Amino acid sequence: MLFRGMDRAALDAAYNNGNAVGSSRLERFRDDWKTRSQKLRDTRKPELDLRYGETPRERLDFYASGKPKAPTLMFIHGGYWQMNDKEDFNFIAEGPLAHGVNVAVVEYTLAPEARMDRICAEIRRSVDWLLANVARLGGDPAKLFVSGHSAGGHLTSIAMDNPKLAGGIPISGIFDLEPIRLNYLNVKLKLDEAETERNSTLKHLPKQAGPLVVTVGAAELPELVRQSAEYAKAWTASGLKAKYMPLPDHDHFSVLEELANPDGKLTRALHELIAG
């Protein structure tokens, strides 16, 4: 047994979100997200490919709400640190923008080109860049929030090391990387034990940080639900403020609609964070 009573085949299945929902359902989501993202770019005219670092994928798209000194949400896409591009996740901005919140959709270098240490460093750099530049983009640096999905949920927890962030919403995140090191995902990630340990945010909670809403689809794979539940519990046990919010009837992909929808549960949770 490799992890929590699972052999390699069981551990692979425990983190294979695509197989869990089926290829046809997953493709419908991806096609819909791509179409909505392009439509939003065409209608809202964001500032595209703003560089926060020197390498090609250290860039972000910024959607200004038009509200002076508006709160800003930075969103980090998922794909198990080895797939996807920010362009297909611009649709996430629909919900926050409807309520006067700016949105920055962040990209980062993927594995195997980048190791986990480098990916995490890039996310920290994107936070620093936004804190330094969001005022000129129409936002308030004191009201910068972060969210991300799946691997982006993990990277959200990495970003929360910065105490200047006002809060965060990790969605379906992975906070203990040990099962990732032991399963099929490590073919490209190439995590070793030391890199796994230092980037497992469940084991390295910040001493000071803004509040979190830790969320996951209640119909997701049990390992994904467990990861979020344990992270929220650890966060509060360390004296930090967190709310654990599993979302009934949502799988690993449908859960994103609760942020993209102006009336979604995660959109409302973001407003509660903003209101303090």
Side-chain angles (χ1 to χ4, degrees):
M1 298 297 101
L2 285 177
F3 185 80
R4 296 179 66 87
M6 290 179 276
D7 62 14
R8 173 61 185 265
L11 189 55
D12 284 355
Y15 283 87
N16 194 324
N17 296 300
N19 280 358
V21 303
S23 59
S24 60
R25 179 171 170 81
L26 178 55
E27 286 307 310
R28 285 196 299 273
F29 275 119
R30 286 176 170 166
D31 290 345
D32 179 55
W33 295 347
K34 188 180 297 246
T35 299
R36 287 160 60 191
S37 293
Q38 185 60 60
K39 182 179 179 181
L40 195 66
R41 282 193 294 276
D42 292 342
T43 55
R44 296 299 299 238
K45 306 297 182 186
E47 294 195 52
L48 299 175
D49 297 327
L50 297 175
R51 298 284 181 182
Y52 67 82
E54 296 182 358
T55 58
R57 287 180 63 96
E58 289 182 81
R59 56 197 182 122
L60 58 87
D61 296 339
F62 191 89
Y63 288 82
S65 68
K67 178 182 175 182
K69 295 186 177 180
T72 300
L73 177 70
M74 61 175 290
F75 180 82
I76 310 165
H77 71 78
Y80 276 140
W81 307 273
Q82 56 195 271
M83 296 177 285
N84 295 328
D85 304 302
K86 65 177 173 56
E87 284 79 9
D88 294 338
F89 289 85
N90 279 208
F91 78 97
I92 285 294
E94 293 171 351
L97 283 171
H99 298 278
V101 178
N102 306 325
V103 179
V105 186
V106 178
E107 192 161 82
Y108 50 93
T109 307
L110 301 175
E113 181 179 350
R115 295 286 295 261
M116 186 65 71
D117 285 343
R118 174 179 163 186
I119 293 170
C120 293
E122 290 182 4
I123 292 304
R124 292 185 176 106
R125 192 151 49 241
S126 73
V127 173
D128 291 340
W129 188 92
L130 278 166
L131 286 167
N133 289 276
V134 75
R136 71 172 179 81
L137 295 169
D140 181 349
K143 295 179 180 178
L144 179 61
F145 298 82
V146 60
S147 182
H149 174 241
S150 195
H154 165 257
L155 296 173
T156 295
S157 69
I158 290 289
M160 287 299 295
D161 282 352
N162 192 318
K164 293 181 180 179
L165 283 174
I169 306 177
I171 305 168
S172 308
I174 298 128
F175 311 101
D176 177 5
L177 299 182
E178 181 64 5
I180 306 301
R181 183 180 73 84
L182 297 172
N183 73 13
Y184 75 103
L185 294 163
N186 207 35
V187 172
K188 288 187 177 179
L189 292 170
K190 300 184 180 356
L191 288 164
D192 58 29
E193 290 185 16
E195 192 173 28
T196 297
E197 195 279 335
R198 65 176 167 264
N199 291 299
S200 290
T201 50
L202 183 63
K203 302 175 182 178
H204 299 284
L205 300 172
K207 290 184 170 54
Q208 179 184 352
L212 285 186
V213 175
V214 182
T215 186
V216 63
E220 294 199 43
L221 288 165
E223 270 293 286
L224 273 293
V225 177
R226 179 190 67 80
Q227 289 254 6
S228 286
E230 290 190 359
Y231 187 64
K233 182 178 180 180
W235 192 269
T236 54
S238 71
L240 299 167
K241 185 176 179 181
K243 176 182 179 181
Y244 177 51
M245 195 170 89
L247 296 172
D249 304 320
H250 278 297
D251 62 36
H252 188 71
F253 302 98
S254 66
V255 69
L256 282 176
E257 297 302 328
E258 297 292 353
L259 183 58
N261 186 334
D263 297 318
K265 293 177 182 178
L266 295 183
T267 309
R268 293 199 297 271
L270 174 61
H271 278 276
E272 291 174 6
L273 285 177
I274 292 169

